[in-house]
């Protein structure tokens, strides 16, 4: 924990649960991407955390934005972004929302099927379109391939058809899956995209943009590949597959920009031994699956927990939330251990919790309001 956050926690006696986001860390993460992937234009995936404070700081630093809905897009504009800096990169959009985005001046839109292309032709005539390619996402803890993207032959045919529909075929995008811990899917996807670029070029259509999406991983409980190594590998893939004609490159990181900047302070409501014959204790926190920790479903994202108690001796625990729903268990199989001295009223800090938490809390299931947020 850095001194700024430590000082904030120590000098404020706030009601838990709450999230503290250190905006300097977000700016630092953005600059790291700039430094390590200088050839890529960065569009922050707003859904990871759409707080105006974050959008403003990223806009001031020179980032673009990947908006997935009209409200996200409008919050980028409200934060000072110009429409040219915004990609409307959800492949599933209401036609009325496309029209509204177009009125706002947005010109870059994603699609992955013919009907979406027709909606774009109607509501955003002449706009630049990029096709989302379905790619393999094994190695990702949070895959995104089941719902989006089309196979390469279909991407090719749709991009070839775009000019006749009055649209500008601009490029290809993919997403290798969120929290992607393997480098292979990026290489395969870049190779697949390069084939489409070549094929279209031979047919008189020169695509300009390759959008590598998000997926850059964050160190939670386990180590992950370093951004340095991912960027070296991506560079090598681009050269291997595109040779001397590398297109404009875009990336859309969400998690890797905001996760590490956030800490959620929670309070232990109860430590219970539900069966005296079992060593495991149940630790119930004042935040759970409904309180913003949606990514713990399937014990997928395993946050690093820091108990604020003395006592080195630890023992096995199940960690659950406060609601009256038995789905509201966060970790039962992930072999978490917490101090034996842990009691009701103690604090536990959840680290690297800045991504995909603030907007996924329920509005008040069981009467629990979404947690407070502090941007410092
Ligand atoms: C969610 C999403 C992202 C961000 O993914 P991360 O894994 O958080 O970096 C980027 N692009 C698209 C299209 C997305 O849906």
């Amino acid at each position: 924990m850095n001194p700024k956050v430590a000082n904030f926690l120590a000098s404020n006696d706030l009601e838990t649960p709450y999230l503290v986001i250190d905006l300097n860390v977000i700016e630092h993460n953005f600059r790291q991407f700039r430094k390590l992937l200088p050839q890529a234009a960065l569009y922050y995936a707003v859904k990871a955390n759409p707080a105006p404070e974050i959008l403003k700081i990223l806009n001031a630093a020179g980032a673009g934005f990947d908006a997935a809905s009209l409200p996200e897009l409008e919050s980028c504009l409200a934060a000072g972004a110009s429409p040219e800096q915004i990609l409307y990169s959800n492949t599933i959009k209401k036609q009325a929302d496309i029209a509204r985005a177009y009125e706002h001046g947005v010109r870059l839109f994603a699609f992955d099927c013919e009907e979406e292309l027709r909606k774009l032709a109607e509501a955003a005539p002449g706009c630049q379109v990029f096709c989302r390619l379905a790619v393999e996402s094994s190695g990702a803890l949070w895959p995104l391939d089941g719902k989006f993207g089309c196979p390469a032959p279909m991407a090719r045919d749709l991009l070839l058809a775009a000019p006749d529909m009055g649209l500008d075929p601009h490029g290809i995008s993919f997403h290798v899956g969120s929290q992607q811990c393997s480098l292979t899917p990026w290489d395969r996807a870049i190779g697949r995209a390069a084939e489409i670029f070549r094929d279209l070029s031979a047919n008189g259509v020169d695509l300009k943009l390759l959008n590598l999406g998000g997926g850059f991983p964050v160190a939670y409980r386990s180590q992950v590949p370093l951004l340095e190594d991912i960027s070296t590998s991506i560079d090598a893939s681009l050269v291997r597959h595109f040779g001397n004609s590398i297109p404009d490159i875009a990336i859309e990181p969400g998690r890797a920009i905001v996760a590490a900047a956030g800490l959620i302070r929670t309070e232990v409501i109860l430590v219970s031994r539900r069966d005296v014959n079992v060593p495991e204790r149940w630790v119930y926190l004042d935040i759970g699956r409904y309180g913003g920790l949606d990514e713990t479903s399937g014990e997928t994202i395993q946050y690093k927990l820091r108990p604020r108690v003395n006592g080195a001796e630890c023992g096995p625990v199940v960690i659950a939330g406060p609601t009256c729903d038995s789905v509201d268990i966060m970790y039962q199989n992930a072999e978490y251990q917490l101090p034996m001295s842990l009691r009701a009223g103690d604090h536990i800090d959840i680290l690297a919790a800045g991504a995909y938490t603030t907007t996924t809390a329920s509005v008040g299931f069981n009467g629990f309001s979404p947690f407070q947020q502090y941007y410092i």
Side-chain angles (χ1 to χ4, degrees):
M1 189 188 310
N2 68 33
K4 185 174 153 191
V5 173
N7 183 51
F8 178 88
L9 294 170
S11 51
N12 293 283
D13 186 18
L14 300 163
E15 200 179 328
T16 61
Y18 63 88
L19 167 75
V20 191
I21 291 264
D22 182 343
L23 292 168
N24 294 120
V25 173
I26 290 180
E27 207 172 345
H28 169 81
N29 290 344
F30 172 73
R31 299 208 184 287
Q32 281 299 102
F33 271 99
R34 265 277 156 89
K35 191 170 127 204
L36 297 171
L37 279 159
Q39 75 282 39
L42 188 149
Y43 297 85
Y44 169 61
V46 175
K47 78 173 187 288
N49 186 329
E53 293 88 344
I54 294 176
L55 302 184
K56 278 189 197 130
I57 208 160
L58 287 173
N59 181 57
F65 297 95
D66 152 18
S69 68
L70 193 62
E72 279 190 2
L73 192 152
E74 289 176 339
S75 50
C76 296
L77 295 171
S82 65
E84 311 84 72
Q85 286 169 267
I86 302 175
L87 308 180
Y88 200 159
S89 69
N90 194 342
T91 52
I92 302 155
K93 303 173 282 302
K94 285 187 178 171
Q95 185 158 327
D97 291 350
I98 297 172
R100 199 78 193 96
Y102 188 73
E103 277 167 30
H104 280 308
V106 172
R107 291 292 176 270
L108 260 166
F109 295 84
F111 73 96
D112 66 1
C113 71
E114 188 175 349
E115 184 173 50
E116 193 70 8
L117 208 51
R118 290 196 187 288
K119 284 196 275 179
L120 288 165
E122 195 137 317
C127 75
Q128 298 173 322
V129 291
F130 57 97
C131 187
R132 170 103 172 239
L133 192 61
V135 296
E136 182 207 329
S137 67
S138 57
L141 286 185
W142 205 269
L144 295 167
D145 59 340
K147 184 171 170 186
F148 309 100
C150 63
M154 189 169 151
R156 170 195 179 276
D157 292 348
L158 290 172
L159 284 162
L160 274 178
D164 286 340
M165 300 168 80
L167 296 167
D168 177 3
H170 192 64
I172 288 183
S173 74
F174 58 76
H175 196 301
V176 292
S178 201
Q179 187 70 1
Q180 177 56 264
C181 298
S182 159
L183 302 182
T184 320
W186 268 291
D187 180 61
R188 293 220 177 110
I190 290 169
R192 191 66 50 84
E195 285 166 21
I196 304 175
F197 270 70
R198 273 194 295 276
D199 184 332
L200 286 184
S201 182
N203 284 283
V205 171
D206 285 315
L207 298 178
K208 312 254 172 346
L209 179 75
L210 177 60
N211 180 347
L212 310 177
F216 303 92
V218 163
Y220 291 104
R221 251 173 124 201
S222 325
Q223 288 306 307
V224 295
L226 295 174
L227 189 54
E228 281 87 330
D229 298 331
I230 297 174
S231 95
T232 305
S233 163
I234 284 177
D235 276 345
S237 298
L238 287 170
V239 171
R240 182 159 59 246
H241 298 296
F242 281 94
N244 283 330
S245 41
I246 296 175
D248 293 345
I249 300 296
I251 51 171
E252 303 173 329
R255 185 186 301 282
I257 297 285
V258 290
L263 173 150
I264 295 178
R265 172 149 285 190
T266 73
E267 185 181 309
V268 174
I269 302 178
L270 181 70
V271 181
S272 109
R273 196 149 236 158
R274 297 185 52 214
D275 180 342
V276 287
N277 300 312
V278 175
E280 219 164 52
R281 293 158 299 151
W282 280 63
V283 175
Y284 300 90
L285 301 179
D286 58 1
I287 190 171
R289 292 270 298 276
Y290 292 95
L293 302 183
D294 177 57
E295 288 203 309
T296 60
S297 70
E299 313 200 21
T300 307
I301 295 297
Q302 298 182 1
Y303 294 103
K304 205 182 269 183
L305 303 181
R306 184 172 297 162
R308 314 301 297 173
V309 293
N310 296 322
E313 196 201 338
C314 287
V317 288
V318 173
I319 303 171
T323 68
C324 299
D325 184 343
S326 58
V327 160
D328 192 9
I329 297 170
M330 291 171 289
Y331 303 119
Q332 193 156 21
N333 303 309
E335 301 188 345
Y336 274 81
Q337 300 241 342
L338 286 171
M340 298 307 292
S341 59
L342 194 71
R343 296 286 177 272
D346 290 338
H347 286 153
I348 291 182
D349 291 337
I350 302 176
L351 307 188
Y356 302 115
T357 48
T358 61
T359 45
T360 55
S362 82
V363 294
F365 179 48
N366 255 177
F368 296 108
S369 309
F371 56 77
Q372 294 298 310
Q373 304 170 35
Y374 302 94
Y375 294 83
I376 64 172

